[in-house]
mmCIF file of all heavy atoms in Angstrom:
data_model
loop_
_atom_site.group_PDB
_atom_site.id
_atom_site.type_symbol
_atom_site.label_atom_id
_atom_site.label_comp_id
_atom_site.label_asym_id
_atom_site.label_seq_id
_atom_site.Cartn_x
_atom_site.Cartn_y
_atom_site.Cartn_z
ATOM 1 N N ARG K 110 -57.517 204.423 195.571
ATOM 2 C CA ARG K 110 -57.089 204.017 194.232
ATOM 3 C C ARG K 110 -57.058 205.270 193.368
ATOM 4 O O ARG K 110 -57.823 206.220 193.600
ATOM 5 C CB ARG K 110 -58.072 203.008 193.658
ATOM 6 C CG ARG K 110 -58.089 201.695 194.395
ATOM 7 C CD ARG K 110 -59.059 200.754 193.737
ATOM 8 N NE ARG K 110 -60.350 201.433 193.577
ATOM 9 C CZ ARG K 110 -61.524 200.884 193.780
ATOM 10 N NH1 ARG K 110 -61.608 199.629 194.133
ATOM 11 N NH2 ARG K 110 -62.632 201.561 193.616
ATOM 12 N N PRO K 111 -56.190 205.329 192.360
ATOM 13 C CA PRO K 111 -56.109 206.531 191.512
ATOM 14 C C PRO K 111 -57.452 206.950 190.925
ATOM 15 O O PRO K 111 -57.729 208.143 190.807
ATOM 16 C CB PRO K 111 -55.108 206.126 190.422
ATOM 17 C CG PRO K 111 -54.221 205.132 191.111
ATOM 18 C CD PRO K 111 -55.131 204.355 192.025
ATOM 19 N N ASP K 112 -58.312 205.986 190.589
ATOM 20 C CA ASP K 112 -59.618 206.333 190.024
ATOM 21 C C ASP K 112 -60.534 207.007 191.035
ATOM 22 O O ASP K 112 -61.482 207.694 190.659
ATOM 23 C CB ASP K 112 -60.316 205.083 189.496
ATOM 24 C CG ASP K 112 -59.599 204.488 188.289
ATOM 25 O OD1 ASP K 112 -58.760 205.184 187.695
ATOM 26 O OD2 ASP K 112 -59.890 203.327 187.948
ATOM 27 N N ASP K 113 -60.272 206.811 192.312
ATOM 28 C CA ASP K 113 -61.111 207.372 193.372
ATOM 29 C C ASP K 113 -60.522 208.631 194.013
ATOM 30 O O ASP K 113 -61.091 209.173 194.952
ATOM 31 C CB ASP K 113 -61.332 206.328 194.470
ATOM 32 C CG ASP K 113 -62.062 205.101 193.963
ATOM 33 O OD1 ASP K 113 -62.860 205.244 193.016
ATOM 34 O OD2 ASP K 113 -61.832 204.006 194.510
ATOM 35 N N LEU K 114 -59.398 209.083 193.511
ATOM 36 C CA LEU K 114 -58.679 210.194 194.138
ATOM 37 C C LEU K 114 -59.517 211.464 194.247
ATOM 38 O O LEU K 114 -59.627 212.056 195.323
ATOM 39 C CB LEU K 114 -57.387 210.473 193.373
ATOM 40 C CG LEU K 114 -56.553 211.659 193.842
ATOM 41 C CD1 LEU K 114 -56.106 211.466 195.280
ATOM 42 C CD2 LEU K 114 -55.366 211.868 192.933
ATOM 43 N N LEU K 115 -60.129 211.900 193.157
ATOM 44 C CA LEU K 115 -60.892 213.160 193.195
ATOM 45 C C LEU K 115 -62.126 213.054 194.079
ATOM 46 O O LEU K 115 -62.436 213.993 194.817
ATOM 47 C CB LEU K 115 -61.280 213.602 191.786
ATOM 48 C CG LEU K 115 -60.139 214.176 190.958
ATOM 49 C CD1 LEU K 115 -60.628 214.492 189.550
ATOM 50 C CD2 LEU K 115 -59.550 215.402 191.610
ATOM 51 N N ALA K 116 -62.816 211.929 194.044
ATOM 52 C CA ALA K 116 -63.994 211.751 194.895
ATOM 53 C C ALA K 116 -63.582 211.765 196.363
ATOM 54 O O ALA K 116 -64.261 212.363 197.207
ATOM 55 C CB ALA K 116 -64.711 210.456 194.548
ATOM 56 N N CYS K 117 -62.474 211.121 196.680
ATOM 57 C CA CYS K 117 -61.971 211.086 198.045
ATOM 58 C C CYS K 117 -61.598 212.499 198.516
ATOM 59 O O CYS K 117 -61.976 212.930 199.602
ATOM 60 C CB CYS K 117 -60.755 210.161 198.110
ATOM 61 S SG CYS K 117 -59.988 210.065 199.720
ATOM 62 N N LEU K 118 -60.886 213.216 197.676
ATOM 63 C CA LEU K 118 -60.471 214.576 198.016
ATOM 64 C C LEU K 118 -61.679 215.494 198.177
ATOM 65 O O LEU K 118 -61.723 216.329 199.083
ATOM 66 C CB LEU K 118 -59.528 215.100 196.946
ATOM 67 C CG LEU K 118 -58.769 216.369 197.232
ATOM 68 C CD1 LEU K 118 -58.025 216.306 198.555
ATOM 69 C CD2 LEU K 118 -57.803 216.666 196.103
ATOM 70 N N ASP K 119 -62.680 215.318 197.346
ATOM 71 C CA ASP K 119 -63.910 216.103 197.450
ATOM 72 C C ASP K 119 -64.571 215.874 198.813
ATOM 73 O O ASP K 119 -64.959 216.836 199.486
ATOM 74 C CB ASP K 119 -64.862 215.718 196.317
ATOM 75 C CG ASP K 119 -66.148 216.514 196.347
ATOM 76 O OD1 ASP K 119 -66.097 217.732 196.088
ATOM 77 O OD2 ASP K 119 -67.195 215.917 196.650
ATOM 78 N N GLU K 120 -64.693 214.630 199.232
ATOM 79 C CA GLU K 120 -65.308 214.311 200.528
ATOM 80 C C GLU K 120 -64.500 214.887 201.686
ATOM 81 O O GLU K 120 -65.058 215.416 202.653
ATOM 82 C CB GLU K 120 -65.452 212.800 200.702
ATOM 83 C CG GLU K 120 -66.505 212.188 199.823
ATOM 84 C CD GLU K 120 -67.902 212.645 200.181
ATOM 85 O OE1 GLU K 120 -68.216 212.782 201.387
ATOM 86 O OE2 GLU K 120 -68.694 212.870 199.251
ATOM 87 N N VAL K 121 -63.198 214.782 201.594
ATOM 88 C CA VAL K 121 -62.329 215.296 202.657
ATOM 89 C C VAL K 121 -62.482 216.807 202.784
ATOM 90 O O VAL K 121 -62.621 217.345 203.889
ATOM 91 C CB VAL K 121 -60.853 214.921 202.379
ATOM 92 C CG1 VAL K 121 -59.901 215.708 203.246
ATOM 93 C CG2 VAL K 121 -60.648 213.424 202.581
ATOM 94 N N LEU K 122 -62.460 217.509 201.663
ATOM 95 C CA LEU K 122 -62.552 218.969 201.696
ATOM 96 C C LEU K 122 -63.916 219.457 202.180
ATOM 97 O O LEU K 122 -64.015 220.536 202.760
ATOM 98 C CB LEU K 122 -62.250 219.548 200.316
ATOM 99 C CG LEU K 122 -60.788 219.454 199.883
ATOM 100 C CD1 LEU K 122 -60.647 219.838 198.417
ATOM 101 C CD2 LEU K 122 -59.905 220.320 200.763
ATOM 102 N N ARG K 123 -64.960 218.691 201.982
ATOM 103 C CA ARG K 123 -66.301 219.084 202.442
ATOM 104 C C ARG K 123 -66.477 218.915 203.951
ATOM 105 O O ARG K 123 -67.404 219.456 204.537
ATOM 106 C CB ARG K 123 -67.367 218.269 201.719
ATOM 107 C CG ARG K 123 -67.571 218.693 200.305
ATOM 108 C CD ARG K 123 -68.688 217.941 199.621
ATOM 109 N NE ARG K 123 -68.609 218.152 198.183
ATOM 110 C CZ ARG K 123 -69.000 219.263 197.567
ATOM 111 N NH1 ARG K 123 -69.514 220.249 198.253
ATOM 112 N NH2 ARG K 123 -68.875 219.376 196.266
ATOM 113 N N SER K 124 -65.588 218.184 204.583
ATOM 114 C CA SER K 124 -65.731 217.910 206.016
ATOM 115 C C SER K 124 -65.270 219.109 206.846
ATOM 116 O O SER K 124 -64.160 219.616 206.671
ATOM 117 C CB SER K 124 -64.902 216.683 206.400
ATOM 118 O OG SER K 124 -64.909 216.525 207.799
ATOM 119 N N SER K 125 -66.096 219.510 207.795
ATOM 120 C CA SER K 125 -65.721 220.615 208.689
ATOM 121 C C SER K 125 -64.713 220.154 209.743
ATOM 122 O O SER K 125 -64.168 220.980 210.462
ATOM 123 C CB SER K 125 -66.970 221.187 209.358
ATOM 124 O OG SER K 125 -67.609 220.188 210.137
ATOM 125 N N ALA K 126 -64.443 218.856 209.824
ATOM 126 C CA ALA K 126 -63.462 218.329 210.775
ATOM 127 C C ALA K 126 -62.035 218.427 210.243
ATOM 128 O O ALA K 126 -61.079 218.187 210.975
ATOM 129 C CB ALA K 126 -63.775 216.868 211.103
ATOM 130 N N VAL K 127 -61.884 218.807 208.980
ATOM 131 C CA VAL K 127 -60.570 218.850 208.337
ATOM 132 C C VAL K 127 -60.110 220.300 208.204
ATOM 133 O O VAL K 127 -60.811 221.133 207.637
ATOM 134 C CB VAL K 127 -60.629 218.165 206.951
ATOM 135 C CG1 VAL K 127 -59.314 218.317 206.218
ATOM 136 C CG2 VAL K 127 -60.988 216.695 207.105
ATOM 137 N N SER K 128 -58.910 220.582 208.719
ATOM 138 C CA SER K 128 -58.371 221.938 208.581
ATOM 139 C C SER K 128 -57.563 222.085 207.297
ATOM 140 O O SER K 128 -57.593 223.133 206.658
ATOM 141 C CB SER K 128 -57.500 222.298 209.778
ATOM 142 O OG SER K 128 -56.408 221.414 209.884
ATOM 143 N N VAL K 129 -56.857 221.029 206.912
ATOM 144 C CA VAL K 129 -56.059 221.078 205.688
ATOM 145 C C VAL K 129 -56.009 219.688 205.066
ATOM 146 O O VAL K 129 -55.920 218.690 205.765
ATOM 147 C CB VAL K 129 -54.630 221.616 205.956
ATOM 148 C CG1 VAL K 129 -53.860 220.705 206.885
ATOM 149 C CG2 VAL K 129 -53.870 221.839 204.660
ATOM 150 N N ALA K 130 -56.102 219.673 203.747
ATOM 151 C CA ALA K 130 -55.961 218.437 202.981
ATOM 152 C C ALA K 130 -54.838 218.671 201.972
ATOM 153 O O ALA K 130 -54.826 219.680 201.264
ATOM 154 C CB ALA K 130 -57.248 218.074 202.265
ATOM 155 N N VAL K 131 -53.905 217.743 201.922
ATOM 156 C CA VAL K 131 -52.766 217.843 201.013
ATOM 157 C C VAL K 131 -52.817 216.646 200.079
ATOM 158 O O VAL K 131 -52.975 215.512 200.523
ATOM 159 C CB VAL K 131 -51.430 217.857 201.789
ATOM 160 C CG1 VAL K 131 -50.247 217.929 200.838
ATOM 161 C CG2 VAL K 131 -51.408 219.009 202.782
ATOM 162 N N ALA K 132 -52.657 216.904 198.771
ATOM 163 C CA ALA K 132 -52.691 215.818 197.794
ATOM 164 C C ALA K 132 -51.789 216.146 196.615
ATOM 165 O O ALA K 132 -51.670 217.304 196.216
ATOM 166 C CB ALA K 132 -54.113 215.579 197.307
ATOM 167 N N ARG K 133 -51.174 215.101 196.082
ATOM 168 C CA ARG K 133 -50.417 215.234 194.831
ATOM 169 C C ARG K 133 -51.331 214.781 193.707
ATOM 170 O O ARG K 133 -51.867 213.677 193.731
ATOM 171 C CB ARG K 133 -49.179 214.342 194.839
ATOM 172 C CG ARG K 133 -48.143 214.774 195.832
ATOM 173 C CD ARG K 133 -46.981 213.834 195.822
ATOM 174 N NE ARG K 133 -47.471 212.482 196.168
ATOM 175 C CZ ARG K 133 -46.741 211.389 196.078
ATOM 176 N NH1 ARG K 133 -45.517 211.456 195.654
ATOM 177 N NH2 ARG K 133 -47.238 210.214 196.415
ATOM 178 N N LEU K 134 -51.514 215.643 192.729
ATOM 179 C CA LEU K 134 -52.366 215.317 191.592
ATOM 180 C C LEU K 134 -51.537 215.393 190.315
ATOM 181 O O LEU K 134 -50.797 216.359 190.114
ATOM 182 C CB LEU K 134 -53.532 216.298 191.493
ATOM 183 C CG LEU K 134 -54.485 216.359 192.693
ATOM 184 C CD1 LEU K 134 -55.505 217.458 192.493
ATOM 185 C CD2 LEU K 134 -55.169 215.025 192.887
ATOM 186 N N PRO K 135 -51.673 214.398 189.437
ATOM 187 C CA PRO K 135 -50.907 214.439 188.187
ATOM 188 C C PRO K 135 -51.368 215.576 187.276
ATOM 189 O O PRO K 135 -50.578 216.220 186.629
ATOM 190 C CB PRO K 135 -51.164 213.076 187.560
ATOM 191 C CG PRO K 135 -52.396 212.560 188.215
ATOM 192 C CD PRO K 135 -52.481 213.210 189.564
ATOM 193 N N ALA K 136 -52.660 215.821 187.251
ATOM 194 C CA ALA K 136 -53.243 216.904 186.447
ATOM 195 C C ALA K 136 -54.628 217.181 187.017
ATOM 196 O O ALA K 136 -55.218 216.331 187.678
ATOM 197 C CB ALA K 136 -53.340 216.498 184.985
ATOM 198 N N LEU K 137 -55.128 218.368 186.756
ATOM 199 C CA LEU K 137 -56.433 218.732 187.294
ATOM 200 C C LEU K 137 -57.199 219.544 186.257
ATOM 201 O O LEU K 137 -56.775 220.640 185.882
ATOM 202 C CB LEU K 137 -56.258 219.540 188.583
ATOM 203 C CG LEU K 137 -57.501 219.854 189.383
ATOM 204 C CD1 LEU K 137 -58.183 218.564 189.841
ATOM 205 C CD2 LEU K 137 -57.154 220.704 190.589
ATOM 206 N N ALA K 138 -58.310 218.985 185.793
ATOM 207 C CA ALA K 138 -59.168 219.692 184.838
ATOM 208 C C ALA K 138 -59.825 220.880 185.531
ATOM 209 O O ALA K 138 -60.030 220.872 186.747
ATOM 210 C CB ALA K 138 -60.237 218.739 184.303
ATOM 211 N N SER K 139 -60.162 221.885 184.771
ATOM 212 C CA SER K 139 -60.758 223.083 185.365
ATOM 213 C C SER K 139 -62.087 222.769 186.047
ATOM 214 O O SER K 139 -62.412 223.361 187.073
ATOM 215 C CB SER K 139 -60.932 224.180 184.323
ATOM 216 O OG SER K 139 -61.784 223.752 183.291
ATOM 217 N N SER K 140 -62.862 221.829 185.510
ATOM 218 C CA SER K 140 -64.133 221.483 186.148
ATOM 219 C C SER K 140 -63.893 220.822 187.509
ATOM 220 O O SER K 140 -64.618 221.072 188.469
ATOM 221 C CB SER K 140 -64.953 220.554 185.253
ATOM 222 O OG SER K 140 -64.237 219.360 184.988
ATOM 223 N N SER K 141 -62.855 220.005 187.606
ATOM 224 C CA SER K 141 -62.510 219.371 188.885
ATOM 225 C C SER K 141 -61.981 220.405 189.873
ATOM 226 O O SER K 141 -62.284 220.353 191.061
ATOM 227 C CB SER K 141 -61.468 218.277 188.675
ATOM 228 O OG SER K 141 -61.988 217.241 187.877
ATOM 229 N N SER K 142 -61.206 221.349 189.373
ATOM 230 C CA SER K 142 -60.679 222.415 190.220
ATOM 231 C C SER K 142 -61.828 223.223 190.822
ATOM 232 O O SER K 142 -61.820 223.547 192.011
ATOM 233 C CB SER K 142 -59.774 223.321 189.394
ATOM 234 O OG SER K 142 -59.393 224.453 190.126
ATOM 235 N N HIS K 143 -62.807 223.522 190.019
ATOM 236 C CA HIS K 143 -63.984 224.276 190.475
ATOM 237 C C HIS K 143 -64.732 223.483 191.553
ATOM 238 O O HIS K 143 -65.113 224.025 192.588
ATOM 239 C CB HIS K 143 -64.883 224.566 189.275
ATOM 240 C CG HIS K 143 -66.089 225.361 189.597
ATOM 241 N ND1 HIS K 143 -66.046 226.711 189.865
ATOM 242 C CD2 HIS K 143 -67.388 224.993 189.705
ATOM 243 C CE1 HIS K 143 -67.267 227.135 190.122
ATOM 244 N NE2 HIS K 143 -68.104 226.113 190.033
ATOM 245 N N ARG K 144 -64.920 222.204 191.312
ATOM 246 C CA ARG K 144 -65.615 221.331 192.268
ATOM 247 C C ARG K 144 -64.868 221.270 193.602
ATOM 248 O O ARG K 144 -65.473 221.362 194.675
ATOM 249 C CB ARG K 144 -65.736 219.936 191.650
ATOM 250 C CG ARG K 144 -66.272 218.880 192.547
ATOM 251 C CD ARG K 144 -66.332 217.570 191.796
ATOM 252 N NE ARG K 144 -66.287 216.447 192.704
ATOM 253 C CZ ARG K 144 -66.078 215.213 192.337
ATOM 254 N NH1 ARG K 144 -65.866 214.933 191.077
ATOM 255 N NH2 ARG K 144 -66.065 214.254 193.216
ATOM 256 N N LEU K 145 -63.552 221.133 193.560
ATOM 257 C CA LEU K 145 -62.770 221.043 194.789
ATOM 258 C C LEU K 145 -62.742 222.376 195.535
ATOM 259 O O LEU K 145 -62.738 222.409 196.768
ATOM 260 C CB LEU K 145 -61.356 220.555 194.490
ATOM 261 C CG LEU K 145 -61.255 219.123 193.953
ATOM 262 C CD1 LEU K 145 -59.810 218.786 193.612
ATOM 263 C CD2 LEU K 145 -61.828 218.116 194.937
ATOM 264 N N ARG K 146 -62.729 223.473 194.791
ATOM 265 C CA ARG K 146 -62.761 224.796 195.435
ATOM 266 C C ARG K 146 -64.059 224.974 196.213
ATOM 267 O O ARG K 146 -64.058 225.436 197.352
ATOM 268 C CB ARG K 146 -62.609 225.906 194.391
ATOM 269 C CG ARG K 146 -62.610 227.291 194.995
ATOM 270 C CD ARG K 146 -62.178 228.361 194.011
ATOM 271 N NE ARG K 146 -62.710 228.211 192.686
ATOM 272 C CZ ARG K 146 -63.846 228.772 192.248
ATOM 273 N NH1 ARG K 146 -64.559 229.522 193.063
ATOM 274 N NH2 ARG K 146 -64.247 228.606 191.009
ATOM 275 N N HIS K 147 -65.165 224.566 195.624
ATOM 276 C CA HIS K 147 -66.451 224.664 196.316
ATOM 277 C C HIS K 147 -66.517 223.728 197.518
ATOM 278 O O HIS K 147 -67.096 224.075 198.554
ATOM 279 C CB HIS K 147 -67.613 224.394 195.357
ATOM 280 C CG HIS K 147 -67.953 225.586 194.531
ATOM 281 N ND1 HIS K 147 -68.651 226.658 195.030
ATOM 282 C CD2 HIS K 147 -67.650 225.908 193.260
ATOM 283 C CE1 HIS K 147 -68.792 227.576 194.107
ATOM 284 N NE2 HIS K 147 -68.184 227.140 193.005
ATOM 285 N N ALA K 148 -65.914 222.561 197.393
ATOM 286 C CA ALA K 148 -65.876 221.631 198.524
ATOM 287 C C ALA K 148 -65.108 222.242 199.691
ATOM 288 O O ALA K 148 -65.541 222.167 200.843
ATOM 289 C CB ALA K 148 -65.246 220.299 198.101
ATOM 290 N N ALA K 149 -63.968 222.877 199.402
ATOM 291 C CA ALA K 149 -63.173 223.510 200.452
ATOM 292 C C ALA K 149 -63.924 224.677 201.095
ATOM 293 O O ALA K 149 -63.864 224.875 202.307
ATOM 294 C CB ALA K 149 -61.831 223.979 199.892
ATOM 295 N N MET K 150 -64.654 225.419 200.288
ATOM 296 C CA MET K 150 -65.435 226.523 200.839
ATOM 297 C C MET K 150 -66.522 225.997 201.756
ATOM 298 O O MET K 150 -66.786 226.576 202.814
ATOM 299 C CB MET K 150 -66.039 227.354 199.700
ATOM 300 C CG MET K 150 -65.027 228.178 198.955
ATOM 301 S SD MET K 150 -65.654 228.982 197.462
ATOM 302 C CE MET K 150 -67.064 229.858 198.066
ATOM 303 N N GLN K 151 -67.132 224.887 201.393
ATOM 304 C CA GLN K 151 -68.194 224.305 202.222
ATOM 305 C C GLN K 151 -67.630 223.779 203.544
ATOM 306 O O GLN K 151 -68.226 223.973 204.598
ATOM 307 C CB GLN K 151 -68.881 223.169 201.470
ATOM 308 C CG GLN K 151 -70.013 222.544 202.253
ATOM 309 C CD GLN K 151 -70.697 221.426 201.479
ATOM 310 O OE1 GLN K 151 -70.350 221.134 200.338
ATOM 311 N NE2 GLN K 151 -71.659 220.798 202.112
ATOM 312 N N GLY K 152 -66.483 223.114 203.494
ATOM 313 C CA GLY K 152 -65.897 222.535 204.707
ATOM 314 C C GLY K 152 -65.157 223.546 205.569
ATOM 315 O O GLY K 152 -64.983 223.339 206.758
ATOM 316 N N GLY K 153 -64.679 224.620 204.953
ATOM 317 C CA GLY K 153 -63.962 225.641 205.713
ATOM 318 C C GLY K 153 -62.486 225.374 205.890
ATOM 319 O O GLY K 153 -61.801 226.105 206.578
ATOM 320 N N GLY K 154 -61.984 224.322 205.248
ATOM 321 C CA GLY K 154 -60.556 224.002 205.355
ATOM 322 C C GLY K 154 -59.788 224.525 204.147
ATOM 323 O O GLY K 154 -60.312 225.287 203.324
ATOM 324 N N VAL K 155 -58.548 224.099 204.044
ATOM 325 C CA VAL K 155 -57.660 224.506 202.975
ATOM 326 C C VAL K 155 -57.233 223.256 202.207
ATOM 327 O O VAL K 155 -56.912 222.240 202.817
ATOM 328 C CB VAL K 155 -56.419 225.225 203.542
ATOM 329 C CG1 VAL K 155 -55.411 225.535 202.449
ATOM 330 C CG2 VAL K 155 -56.822 226.480 204.272
#
């Protein structure tokens, strides 16, 4: 659901089983961008 999009993307990016996650986002606040960047660094994907 649109309300769950960022939480879902955060979980996906934190997973080491994921090499790449692709998502369309209408807008992204800088705090959310920071959170997702750290999630990707933790999971090792893109």
Side-chain angles (χ1 to χ4, degrees):
R110 294 181 309 221
D112 293 345
D113 298 330
L114 176 61
L115 286 176
C117 178
L118 192 52
D119 181 68
E120 289 294 321
V121 166
L122 289 170
R123 286 184 194 283
S124 173
S125 61
V127 175
S128 61
V129 63
V131 179
R133 292 178 300 171
L134 300 175
L137 188 61
S139 61
S140 59
S141 296
S142 172
H143 182 74
R144 173 180 156 193
L145 295 176
R146 181 168 42 92
H147 280 284
M150 288 172 54
Q151 181 179 358
V155 174

